[in-house]
Every structure is written in C-alpha cells, then in structure tokens.
Amino acid sequence: MDYEVVIGLETHAELSTESKLFCGCSTKFGAEPNTQVCPVCLGMPGVLPVVNKKAFEYALKAALALNCTINQHTNFDRKSYYYPDLPKNYQISQNYYNLGVDGYMNIEVNDVMKKIRIHNVHLEEEAGKLIHPDEAGADYSLVDFNRAGVPLLEIVSYPDMRNAAEVENYMYTLRKILLYTDISDCKMQEGSLRFEASISLRKDGEQKLGNRVEMKNLNSMKSVLKAIEYETSRQSELLDRGEKIERETRLWDEIREKSVRMRSKEEAQDYRYFPEPDLLPFVIDEKWVCSIKETLPELPLEKKQRFVESFQLSDYDAGLLIEDKILADFFEECVKEVNFPKVFCNWIINDLLREVKEKKLDIALLKIKPAQLAALVVMINKGIISNTIAKDVFSEMINTGKEPKTIVEEKKLVQISDEGLIDEILDKVIASNPNAIEDYKKGKKNALAFLMGQVMKETKGKANPKLVNELLKNKLDS
Amino acid sequence: MSLDIREIEYIASLSKFVLNDEEKRVFVSQLGEVLLYIEKLNQLDTENVVPLVHPLNMVNVFREDEQKESICREKVQSIAPSTMGAFFKVPKVLE
Amino acid sequence: MKLLSFTALQIKRKILSREVLTADLIKNLFERIYKVDPVIQSFLTLNEDDAINKAEEIDKKIANNENVGLLAGIPIAIKDNICTKDLTTTCASKILRSFTPPYNAFVIKRLLEEDSIIIGKTNLDEFAMGSSTENSSYKITRNPYNLNCVPGGSSGGSTAAVSADLAFMALGSETGGSIRQPAALCGVVGLKPTYGRVSRYGLVAFGSSLDQIGPVTKDVSDAALLLRVIAGRDKRDSTCADIAVPDYLKDIDDGVKDIKIGIPAEYFGEGLEDDVRAAVDNSLKIYEKLGAKIVDVSLPHTEYAVAVYYIVANAEASSNLSRFDGVRYGFRANDIKGIDEMYCRSRSEGFGKEVKRRIMLGNYALSSGYYDAYYLKASKVRNLIKKDFDAVFEKVDCIVCPTSPVPAFKIGDRFEKPLEMYLSDIYTIPANLSGIPGISIPCGFSKEGLPIGLQILTNRFEEAKMLQIAYAFERETDFHMKKPKL
C-alpha cells in the first residue's frame, strides 16, 4: 500500500540575550553547574518574574520574519507539569494568545518553492539540565539549573511537509532565518536549536489525517531525518498489517536508531494552562510592530533572488553564497569595492570555503577582509600578479590577514612584465635548449609549452605568461 | 456537580498527593460540597463578559536585558535537601 | 508596662526625643512577649538578638544626631509568609519547617531602610489559607479578648500580637480578607492596599492576582505611616504600580464633611450578627454627625464573590504551591524510591489538610475539560464584581460596611467545615477580587466583649482618602484605645 507521510515540526531555539527571560542571570553556555542561578530562576518562594524586553522583541522579530500575524494582545500562561529540571513545576509559556500566529516560511526543494505554514511562534522559559550518572546502579540524577529560565522561542509548523527532503530543507531554512535575524546562535550541539517532529501516515488520496506520533529526543538534524524514515516504515508496516496507529509520544533512541514509546494519548499530560498572574498582559501596537520590522534584515531567499537578478549569478552560486549571512555580506562588501561579482563569487565559494574547510576556520572570525580580497582581484586584473601567484597570496592573507600588496612586496611576487628583462631570459632559455628549438621547428606544439615552463622556472613563476608566450612565439618564428 | 473517588484520585495525581481511603472519602464530600456551592455561578449569563485576570489596568512591563550577579552556589545548596558536588541531587529520573 | 501600650507614632516620638532608649524598649517588649505569648501564641520565631543589636545601632544614631528613618526604633512583627533573609520563614507549614530565605522581601528591605526593628515572625494559617489561624502546622493563636476564640485569619498572629501589645505594628497579607478580618476580630486596624500598591516580591504567593501585603496597627495614623513606607514601585514585581506614594499622614485629619458614603444593601443581609449590625449602624450615625452623606448603593454580584474567589484563588494557589517539591529547598520525605514518590510523599507529608483541599480544588478547576466551566467562568464573574464597584465609585467616595459578619468565633467551631469557614470572608473577598483597597477599624464590641470591625472601601489607589475617612471616625471614638485584659 502507498501512503502519504505528513510531517509537522516544533522547533525550540534559545535566544541570544545577555540575561535570562525573567531574571538577570547570565545565559552564557558552559559555566560551572549552578553558578548562573538566583532565587527567581530557582523558583524560590515569593519571587517574581519580570520579562526581558530584548527577548520579547527577539520573539517578535522571529514572528515577523516568519510572516506571522502579531497578536495585538498577548500574554504568558503557566504550563504545569512536574519535572526536577523545571524549578516551579510550571513553565511560563504561551498558550491562549501566542505572540505570532498564522505565518509561513518558503522552502525550496529541487528548485520548487513550497510554502510551509507556521501555526504559531511563542516565547517561553528554558528548563534546567538533568544529568544521569554513568555509574552502574546509580539510584540518583543530578540537576544543573544554569539553563533554567533562558529565553526559548518555540516555532510550531502546520503538518505541511510530505517527505524527509522537505523537512531537511525546512530545518536548514529556519536555522538560516534565525541566524540572519541574529536572535539565536542555533548551535545544535549546545542544545540552542532543537526539533521535535509529529509524523502521521494516510493512504494516498485520503483527506483525513492519520493519528500522529510525536517524536522527542531528536538531537541533531540527522536524527530528525532518521527518525522520520524509521517512523514512516514502522507506521506503514502496522497499517499494512491492518493495525491502527495510536496517538502517542515516542522517544528517539539515537544509538539503536529506533523509536520507543514514551506515553500514549491516555497518559497525555494535563498541563492546566492558565494566564500567568505574575505578569501583566502585553499590547503590541502597529507602531511597535513597524519599528521591529525595520530591524529585520533581508532574509535568505530574498537575498538569493536579488543576487541572481542584480549580479547575474547562477541560482546555484547564489544559493551557496547566502548559505551563511557572513559569506553573503562578505561578497556584497567585495562587490561594493569593485564590481566583479562573478569573480568574487568564485573566490568565495571555491577558494575561501576550501581554506575554511581545510584549516577548520570560523567564518565569523576570518582574518581576511572584503576590501583585501577586492585589492587582490584588482592586482590580478592589472597584471601585477598572475592568477597562480594570487592563489598563494590569498592563502597567506587567510593566515595572516595582511594586505595583498604587503605580501606581494615582502615575497617579491610582482609579475615580470618588463619586455627587455623577459627578452634576456628568453635568449638564455633558447640558448640552453637547442633540442627544443629543433622540435618546435619540426612542428611539435608541446615544445612551446616546455620552453614556457623553463621561462617560468627561471622567473619563479613571476613572468607575465601572456607576454612570455607572445615574445617567445615572435622569437621562434622570426 | 459531585465528585467520585476516581476523580479525586485523578486530581490527587495532578497535585502529587498520596491519599489514603479515609482522606479520599473526606475529600469527596468536602470538595463536592464546595463545588455544589460554586455552581451558583451558572445562574449568571457571562456570554459577553470579558474575563478579568488582573485587577490592574497596566500593560507592557519589562526589564532591560541586563545581566545581574547570580547568587553564590554554596548559599543555595546550603538550604537544599540533597546535593552532590556542584549539583542538586534527586532520586533517579527515568527518561 | 504602659510604654508598650503606646502607638507606633507615640513611641517613635519618645525614641527620637531620647525619652526612651530603643534598647530598653526592646528588652521590655521581649519580657512581655515571654510572659504573654505562651498564652496568645502569636509568634513562630523570635528575632531577639538581632533586634537588640539593631536597637543599639539606632540609639547610637540618634545620640549622634544622625538621620534616622521613618520607622526609627519601632518594633515590628512580620507575618511568617514574608521572606526575611537568614531568618526562618515557614508559612506555618511543615514543608518549609527550617527554610531560611537567602533574600529579603521588598517590604522587609523598606522596613530596614527606615530603621524599624523586626522582632519576630508571626503565626498564620498554613500558606495564609484560612480565616482563623487554626490551620497552622505549629500552633493555634488565641484571641487576646477571649482565649477560647480564634483571632481570625490568616494574619491572626500579627493581629493578636498588635492587639496584645506584643508588637507596635505588624505586617500581614491578604488574599481574601486575611488582614481586615483578623484585625476586626482582634480590635486593631488592618489595611489592605490597592492591588499593585505594595510589591509582592518576597511574599510567598497564594493567589497571585489577589495577594497584597498590608499594615496591622494600633490606630489609623500608624497604618498611614507604615503604608507610606512599604508602598511604591519595585522593579522586581511586574504587577507593582509606578504611582507616586503620598505622605498619607499629611491630610489625614481633613474630616468627612460632604464625603459621600455608600451603603450596599448586600452587605447587611442574612448572616450578619445583630451586635455587628448595631455597631455598624451606630458608626454610620457618627459619620452623619460629622457631615458625611449616606447613600444607598448596590453591588448586585456580591453573592457570587465567594464562589469566584474559591476558584480563582485556589487555581492560582495550586500552581504557586507546585514549587514545593523537595528538590531545591524545604522538606523532602525520607526513604523515597524514585522521583514521583519523592514528590508525592514530600507534598503529602509536608502540607496540611486545608492546603491540600485548596490545591485539589484549584487543580480540578484548571484540569482538562473543566477550565472553561470553572476558571474562565469565575474570571468573567470576577469582572462583573469589579464593574459593580466601578459603577458605585462613580457615585460615592467610599463604601462603609461590616468587615466580618460575626465577631470572633470559638476555636474549633468552624474547623474542618470548609464552606462555613469560607463564608466568613464574604464581606472582604470582593475588594481582593476587584483590586480595591480596604481598611478595618475598631467600631464597637459585642455583648460578649469581642471587638467588631468597621470596613471602609474606596476606589483603586485612593488610600489617602480611605485613611482620612477612617481617621475621622477614630478621632471621634475610643474603641481603638480599648485593650484586652491579659
């Protein structure tokens, strides 16, 4: 039997504010356990939350970037459940009036654009971290509350995705948007970006959605995709056997690459949402929305479109450039210096990215500056250095951040374009290679290449190849 | 509205209480009595009434994103029932 | 011991003039506490050493002509659900038996800034849930006017202490009348400020949208003084209003000429005891004599207030009290296996019956399928109750009515009868639901010699006017000067 897979994603992203959502504790990752805590984020008796304005505005920014309608009246709600990493045993979240609703995000799979609708975007507080000791037979767990209260953005999509490729693209596109808007560092390995998927199957052509299974504990994009693959075959096998899919929550076991039941619908948690009485409501007027809109950067897909149109780049090249906003900005800075978009594009996606990969560099901390790459390209264009030399200079620029001119001068790499000097060298090469001259005269084309090589060897590659070629031909043919 | 034992057990589980049979029986009658009293609210038509959550008419209260000093861990741990190293210790949590 | 029967303002004058040394005052006071409190049982924790040190500091400051605060040298008792740094704060609950907060409540910070002296923490119904102070896990406080009667609650420890001259002033807290009702029953002044007037930071939450901290004092002027100190903006409480705090003493004796007093028929109906009715009627006559105009008004949704309150307050409480889980502080049960057993046993052993009842009720009202019928419905009716007041305050300056339908009742009389107990707050609850301020002042005695309280309610943030109206009555009468025979 053929089934259609229906997938929706819930995304959690920690916002990169200095302080937590409801108190002044630091949000910095990796501190000593329980050193970034205070009575508020530890949920001590009598303490009260006060909302971090930046976190709120970051959430607004994300909602707008995802084309949501901003609820003019919004508020926080309490979501109750007991877990030792949740200090108050309720999470301050949003349920009844989410900050942003009814948005969408475009994804592109195989050159086809698809709109994935966003159900809502809301703000909530992060939980702490539970540590389960490795030692055999340990009857305890440990809690670190450093993460408790870090602002967390939740983005809930509609079940609009139909296969793993769409899901993969959704995750990458969303990640790019969050990075472009500069509201989260999206480091999956640090848990600042996480996904949960809900997956259901229905017979091809069927309208009604099947019972959905919610997948938790997906620690990387790879596990999301693997879990979808696993769940698709698990569910279709069940359906083929005529069994029913139960609505349930399952945990992904990364090591065994399978999902296991966490709880059924009957055991579903009763969260007892109600409006957070410790926080007053929020009224978001048009003016506020506009001022946040003004801070929105050009988003990845728009940027790509513009690169294709204004710089005549191929869709593929533009796609590579916008993959990282830093690269795209680097590119634009270069073009502003000299209008050679295609040339810069090649330098960036070939040479720059290769160096980054080989030397394991952080793109955000590159030593080379756009103006320097532009200067290098100008030197090539003016014939001051050859393309070949330029590659070495570039590599040096990546390592040291020095100006190309300085490197060329220090290493005496200026191209030799002095006809007299080249003439002298030619005479010397011709004199010492009579056999090659013979061959050339017999019509052996590769003799010319050999002689060129000898000249380059003599000049350590600095001779202007075009000029050498011209002068050598003249000399031999005369 | 009256409550039965099963409902009392469900609410007790939400509340994280263990109740003995006597307590359950008492709660069935006491809470049932209160709920019966509360039913008088149904005499009112509130179809077009906006719920009042806060008695204050204030909105948009924020703090700036400023980092403040955290509390010293030793101080926090000194009032905790159980700790281990830098952590709070709890019975094993099964995932 | 005459010194101890002075009001706070009177003793402050004596301290500032160096007629009385604060250190001596404190020693005298603790002598009386040791003598009288074993009978009254108003304190849970005493802060004697710290109080003596603080008193000596203040005496030194005064001797050196240094500036001192508004409450210089005044001994004050604190309800034990208000967090005091490094001083045990139990909420009269076993679950917080030895809890010492690493922080001060905003109001405590203010009291210390103004040089008052914290003498101890007072008894209450566990987590402020009750109207008799019988629901304490530690002791039953007695009414100084009749030791067989309750002091009212939940701030019964604070009101009994002030009534018995064991403290010059005290802080109480209200969710549904927990300052005004015990103040009435103990013959002292109790004031619940407008919701948002005083920061709740450090007040262990019961019903977050209802809770307020307020003064318990020997007279109206003292209440005005204490309110001025504790009121005002606190950045750590989002629900605390940024509205300037006036000097409430400044125009306190402006009188009530041409003041319009609203009398709501709904507060004089069935259940109101004759002695209380007579005392309130008499009070209205005094007001009329002073030039106030009495106007009949109606608050038609009053009869629903108790029902609304028990849903809203307990829904919020069920959530507020979920943090007591044995993980980070407080009581954890012994010999537990597994996390759920830790939660269930710690909470079952740590909380008393009334607290459990309310948590259960609150969780029921919020649980899946019941939210609309209970919490949402109650929140809507709450709005109707607020609108009743809004309409009345268009027409009158204040409402005057009884604080409690009955004087102090016998210990044990209403215990374990939740509904009956809940109904003792019928006249105080509406002010909490709508956020308006209220004050209870002594206005007479029952045939049995038990105090009766008169309640004055005004519109939001009109505490100055409320105090002025209360003061006009007090100046004309001597009910507040009566002392219990101990």
Side-chain angles (χ1 to χ4, degrees):
Chain A
M1 186 90 67
D2 282 331
Y3 301 102
E4 185 181 38
V5 192
V6 178
I7 309 154
L9 284 190
E10 272 182 29
T11 308
H12 285 97
E14 289 183 355
L15 299 178
S16 21
T17 51
E18 291 292 313
S19 64
K20 292 186 178 179
L21 183 51
F22 300 119
C23 65
C25 288
S26 169
T27 59
K28 215 161 156 198
F29 184 83
E32 276 286 294
N34 294 306
T35 53
Q36 293 172 352
V37 294
C38 73
V40 174
C41 57
L42 285 173
M44 291 206 166
V47 298
L48 298 166
V50 185
V51 180
N52 181 334
K53 188 169 190 190
K54 186 173 260 175
F56 193 87
E57 296 201 322
Y58 276 3
L60 266 178
K61 208 169 163 181
L64 289 169
L66 295 169
N67 305 296
C68 287
T69 303
I70 302 299
N71 259 325
Q72 205 193 332
H73 293 267
T74 182
N75 65 272
F76 285 97
D77 299 300
R78 290 185 183 176
K79 176 183 184 179
S80 295
Y81 62 93
Y82 279 82
Y83 213 66
D85 64 4
L86 188 65
K88 302 181 291 297
N89 290 312
Y90 60 80
Q91 180 192 32
I92 304 179
S93 179
Q94 299 192 283
N95 182 56
Y96 297 110
Y97 299 96
N98 290 304
L99 211 123
V101 291
D102 296 332
Y104 66 86
M105 187 179 80
N106 284 320
I107 62 169
E108 229 178 12
V109 179
N110 301 326
D111 291 333
V112 182
M113 191 93 102
K114 181 171 175 180
K115 190 179 266 190
I116 306 297
R117 290 169 304 151
I118 303 292
H119 183 275
N120 77 74
V121 171
H122 68 258
L123 187 56
E124 60 189 24
E125 57 181 335
E126 177 73 290
K129 200 176 151 205
L130 265 179
I131 291 129
H132 308 289
D134 288 331
E135 62 186 275
D139 60 350
Y140 61 91
S141 298
L142 300 172
V143 203
D144 171 12
F145 290 106
N146 279 351
R147 302 314 291 160
V150 167
L152 195 61
L153 188 73
E154 181 169 340
I155 300 153
V156 183
S157 88
Y158 276 93
D160 283 355
M161 286 162 270
R162 295 292 175 267
N163 53 53
E166 289 183 1
V167 170
E168 183 173 25
N169 199 281
Y170 176 91
M171 293 190 291
Y172 277 106
T173 311
L174 183 56
R175 182 174 178 272
K176 244 180 283 174
I177 289 177
L178 296 174
L179 286 170
Y180 264 61
T181 44
D182 208 17
I183 60 174
S184 172
D185 63 15
C186 295
K187 289 183 182 162
M188 288 203 76
Q189 68 280 15
E190 291 180 6
S192 67
L193 182 68
R194 311 191 289 269
F195 299 96
E196 283 171 14
S198 69
I199 305 151
S200 67
L201 260 54
R202 62 181 168 193
K203 275 185 207 157
D204 275 347
E206 184 108 7
Q207 281 301 305
K208 202 168 153 277
L209 286 174
N211 275 337
R212 66 167 190 267
V213 168
E214 288 177 25
M215 292 291 276
K216 290 186 183 287
N217 200 33
L218 303 167
N219 295 324
S220 64
M221 294 197 191
K222 218 197 266 166
S223 2
V224 175
L225 301 174
K226 274 192 181 150
I228 288 170
E229 196 187 320
Y230 175 87
E231 207 39 40
T232 306
S233 64
R234 189 188 69 89
Q235 291 187 29
S236 57
E237 273 168 34
L238 282 174
L239 290 171
D240 281 345
R241 269 184 274 147
E243 288 177 42
K244 281 208 174 108
I245 304 295
E246 252 189 274
R247 202 174 148 181
E248 61 179 345
T249 303
R250 298 178 73 85
L251 282 179
W252 180 245
D253 182 333
E254 200 164 56
I255 295 159
R256 281 181 282 175
E257 297 199 345
K258 58 192 273 193
S259 69
V260 287
R261 164 180 286 195
M262 186 180 159
R263 59 173 174 256
S264 70
K265 192 194 166 198
E266 285 70 40
E267 301 161 282
Q269 283 180 297
D270 189 342
Y271 290 127
R272 289 155 284 151
Y273 282 106
F274 78 104
E276 166 58 279
D278 286 332
L279 294 169
L280 296 168
F282 298 91
V283 176
I284 307 165
D285 59 14
E286 200 51 41
K287 213 178 109 199
W288 195 3
V289 172
C290 286
S291 74
I292 299 289
K293 261 188 192 155
E294 276 167 22
T295 68
L296 276 185
E298 182 181 33
L299 295 176
L301 279 183
E302 300 163 26
K303 196 181 280 289
K304 181 175 158 194
Q305 213 52 45
R306 184 169 58 84
F307 280 8
V308 169
E309 280 161 20
S310 345
F311 302 126
Q312 282 81 48
L313 299 181
S314 72
D315 210 60
Y316 178 79
D317 285 352
L320 286 176
L321 281 179
I322 62 110
E323 201 47 53
D324 191 318
K325 184 165 183 286
I326 297 170
L327 277 190
D329 289 347
F330 193 99
F331 166 77
E332 285 216 84
E333 287 298 312
C334 291
V335 177
K336 260 188 222 157
E337 297 283 330
V338 225
N339 193 20
F340 295 145
K342 184 66 198 163
V343 177
F344 288 122
C345 177
N346 286 338
W347 274 101
I348 292 168
I349 63 186
N350 298 324
D351 305 274
L352 183 65
L353 285 182
R354 192 191 52 242
E355 293 272 353
V356 163
K357 204 175 159 196
E358 280 173 5
K359 295 175 180 162
K360 296 194 172 70
L361 303 174
D362 182 345
I363 291 189
L365 303 171
L366 284 180
K367 285 185 180 155
I368 185 171
K369 299 287 166 275
Q372 295 174 330
L373 178 59
L376 182 71
V377 167
V378 168
M379 288 172 90
I380 302 165
N381 198 252
K382 284 190 179 158
I384 297 169
I385 52 171
S386 67
N387 244 317
T388 325
I389 293 285
K391 303 276 173 193
D392 296 337
V393 175
F394 181 77
S395 185
E396 186 72 14
M397 289 163 77
I398 291 277
N399 290 341
T400 62
K402 281 185 186 166
E403 293 294 330
K405 195 163 158 265
T406 317
I407 297 169
V408 168
E409 276 167 8
E410 276 175 8
K411 303 209 164 176
K412 303 198 174 60
L413 298 173
V414 177
Q415 185 160 267
I416 303 167
S417 299
D418 180 331
E419 283 191 32
L421 195 60
I422 292 178
D423 217 46
E424 268 175 42
I425 296 163
L426 281 180
D427 286 344
K428 205 170 133 196
V429 168
I430 289 170
S432 48
N433 290 289
N435 291 343
I437 312 295
E438 280 299 298
D439 286 350
Y440 179 79
K441 293 208 165 141
K442 283 180 196 155
K444 282 190 181 165
K445 281 280 177 337
N446 54 0
L448 188 68
F450 171 76
L451 290 167
M452 278 284 289
Q454 292 304 305
V455 175
M456 285 304 178
K457 203 172 162 189
E458 202 62 34
T459 60
K460 290 180 183 133
K462 287 183 287 184
N464 181 335
K466 220 171 122 199
L467 200 59
V468 172
N469 190 291
E470 207 174 290
L471 292 177
L472 186 59
K473 265 194 185 162
N474 282 348
K475 234 176 229 299
L476 293 173
D477 292 346
S478 66
Chain B
M1 188 71 214
S2 65
L3 290 169
D4 58 32
I5 292 274
R6 267 189 45 217
E7 283 173 296
I8 287 290
E9 284 169 349
Y10 175 65
I11 310 166
S13 76
L14 286 182
S15 311
K16 298 288 177 198
F17 295 147
V18 275
L19 303 179
N20 60 35
D21 288 347
E22 170 62 12
E23 285 171 316
K24 285 179 199 167
R25 201 187 51 73
V26 171
F27 277 141
V28 164
S29 98
Q30 287 177 339
L31 294 183
E33 189 192 6
V34 174
L35 288 176
L36 200 68
Y37 176 77
I38 284 169
E39 262 189 27
K40 70 190 293 159
L41 294 183
N42 295 325
Q43 299 162 2
L44 291 170
D45 177 9
T46 50
E47 183 77 31
N48 299 312
V49 184
V50 182
L52 178 84
V53 174
H54 295 92
L56 271 178
N57 295 324
M58 287 161 36
V59 294
N60 299 358
V61 178
F62 292 108
R63 46 174 270 271
E64 294 305 317
D65 180 26
E66 282 162 10
Q67 196 199 308
K68 296 266 163 65
E69 209 177 311
S70 289
I71 195 166
C72 148
R73 183 170 68 205
E74 285 64 37
K75 181 104 187 162
V76 178
Q77 287 194 323
S78 73
I79 57 170
S82 179
T83 60
M84 189 183 202
F87 299 96
F88 292 85
K89 192 177 171 189
V90 294
K92 191 174 178 64
V93 181
L94 299 167
E95 274 192 270
Chain C
M1 286 287 188
K2 186 161 182 304
L3 212 53
L4 300 181
S5 64
F6 286 131
T7 68
L9 272 168
Q10 285 165 347
I11 204 71
K12 181 181 154 190
R13 254 173 250 133
K14 291 190 186 296
I15 289 167
L16 293 181
S17 66
R18 302 181 64 189
E19 198 179 318
V20 170
L21 275 178
T22 318
D24 292 342
L25 179 70
I26 293 294
K27 276 170 209 152
N28 276 334
L29 184 66
F30 274 98
E31 260 172 50
R32 181 170 169 82
I33 291 172
Y34 288 128
K35 208 172 95 194
V36 175
D37 208 46
V39 179
I40 305 293
Q41 305 266 35
S42 60
F43 283 96
L44 289 175
T45 306
L46 292 174
N47 191 34
E48 191 175 3
D49 293 344
D50 192 48
I52 291 170
N53 289 339
K54 183 88 203 246
E56 284 166 355
E57 266 173 48
I58 288 161
D59 285 334
K60 223 177 270 169
K61 271 195 194 179
I62 294 169
N64 294 337
N65 277 320
E66 285 175 48
N67 280 339
V68 287
L70 284 169
L71 300 179
I74 301 176
I76 186 164
I78 310 295
K79 188 177 181 180
D80 206 27
N81 61 348
I82 298 172
C83 289
T84 41
K85 192 175 179 188
D86 301 328
L87 181 62
T88 319
T89 301
T90 68
C91 293
S93 180
K94 203 181 149 192
I95 214 160
L96 286 178
R97 182 184 283 281
S98 52
F99 176 63
T100 43
Y103 48 94
N104 269 329
F106 173 82
V107 291
I108 299 299
K109 192 175 129 257
R110 288 292 301 128
L111 291 181
L112 296 175
E113 281 167 0
E114 299 297 342
D115 290 327
S116 72
I117 296 173
I118 292 170
I119 53 171
K121 305 295 290 287
T122 56
N123 197 18
L124 64 151
D125 288 298
E126 184 179 359
F127 285 101
M129 294 176 171
S131 312
S132 67
T133 317
E134 290 166 290
N135 291 324
S136 166
S137 306
Y138 301 110
K139 49 175 71 166
I140 292 180
T141 302
R142 295 176 184 258
N143 192 312
Y145 281 90
N146 182 335
L147 299 177
N148 295 320
C149 288
V150 301
S154 64
S155 310
S158 285
T159 57
V162 171
S163 170
D165 287 335
L166 304 179
F168 282 82
M169 26 173 64
L171 285 184
S173 74
E174 274 223 12
T175 307
S178 280
I179 292 172
R180 289 165 290 160
Q181 185 259 16
L185 271 47
C186 289
V188 296
V189 172
L191 187 155
K192 183 207 86 89
T194 307
Y195 184 83
R197 178 73 287 182
V198 176
S199 167
R200 294 184 293 117
Y201 188 89
L203 168 66
V204 180
F206 166 7
S208 309
S209 76
L210 304 151
D211 294 344
Q212 272 291 288
I213 295 169
V216 173
T217 56
K218 295 181 182 181
D219 70 4
V220 174
S221 304
D222 281 0
L225 173 68
L226 184 49
L227 179 62
R228 182 185 170 188
V229 169
I230 61 172
R233 175 90 178 108
D234 173 16
K235 282 189 202 152
R236 288 179 301 177
D237 178 359
S238 308
T239 65
C240 184
D242 191 5
I243 294 176
V245 180
D247 175 358
Y248 294 110
L249 280 169
K250 194 164 157 275
D251 300 316
I252 200 163
D253 55 0
D254 271 9
V256 288
K257 196 165 182 327
D258 298 328
I259 288 275
K260 282 191 201 133
I261 295 176
I263 306 300
E266 294 83 1
Y267 284 62
F268 291 83
E270 201 189 325
L272 178 61
E273 242 175 56
D274 291 342
D275 289 357
V276 179
R277 185 190 301 271
V280 174
D281 284 346
N282 179 52
S283 307
L284 291 173
K285 287 200 188 92
I286 293 172
Y287 272 121
E288 265 185 310
K289 202 186 78 192
L290 293 171
K293 293 201 165 54
I294 308 292
V295 183
D296 285 331
V297 294
S298 175
L299 295 160
H301 295 96
T302 303
E303 64 167 305
Y304 303 101
V306 174
V308 170
Y309 175 79
Y310 278 92
I311 294 171
V312 171
N314 294 335
E316 292 179 0
S318 69
S319 160
N320 285 329
L321 271 64
S322 61
R323 72 188 60 199
F324 301 102
D325 59 2
V327 175
R328 288 141 292 124
Y329 49 79
F331 172 76
R332 182 190 287 190
N334 288 325
D335 301 326
I336 35 163
K337 293 170 222 73
I339 194 80
D340 209 57
E341 194 185 323
M342 179 192 72
Y343 289 143
C344 292
R345 288 223 356 250
S346 302
R347 289 168 62 79
S348 298
E349 292 167 30
F351 288 132
K353 274 185 195 156
E354 179 62 18
V355 174
K356 283 186 206 164
R357 244 189 316 263
R358 300 207 191 195
I359 290 174
M360 296 272 288
L361 187 65
N363 272 324
Y364 180 72
L366 292 174
S367 65
S368 174
Y370 293 107
Y371 177 84
D372 285 4
Y374 289 100
Y375 180 80
L376 196 64
K377 178 83 186 182
S379 300
K380 287 176 167 191
V381 180
R382 184 178 181 184
N383 204 2
L384 295 175
I385 291 167
K386 176 182 169 278
K387 282 179 172 165
D388 281 354
F389 281 106
D390 290 346
V392 165
F393 288 127
E394 295 271 309
K395 288 182 275 186
V396 298
D397 294 290
C398 70
I399 288 164
V400 171
C401 57
T403 306
S404 162
V406 294
F409 42 90
K410 289 261 157 55
I411 289 169
D413 254 14
R414 298 186 179 197
F415 196 62
E416 284 290 309
K417 290 173 196 151
L419 193 56
E420 221 175 293
M421 187 72 95
Y422 297 172
L423 289 169
S424 33
D425 297 330
I426 192 157
Y427 300 148
T428 47
I429 280 172
N432 299 81
L433 290 174
S434 46
I436 61 170
I439 190 170
S440 177
I441 55 173
C443 76
F445 291 87
S446 69
K447 283 187 219 64
E448 294 77 24
L450 290 167
I452 294 169
L454 182 73
Q455 179 170 225
I456 303 161
L457 305 168
T458 59
N459 210 344
R460 269 171 281 282
F461 297 102
E462 290 187 351
E463 281 85 352
K465 192 202 268 182
M466 185 174 83
L467 284 159
Q468 190 187 310
I469 295 165
Y471 184 75
F473 179 86
E474 188 183 82
R475 199 174 47 184
E476 273 309 295
T477 57
D478 59 3
F479 303 115
H480 64 288
M481 274 141 64
K482 284 268 169 61
K483 296 284 178 185
K485 288 186 192 71
L486 287 164

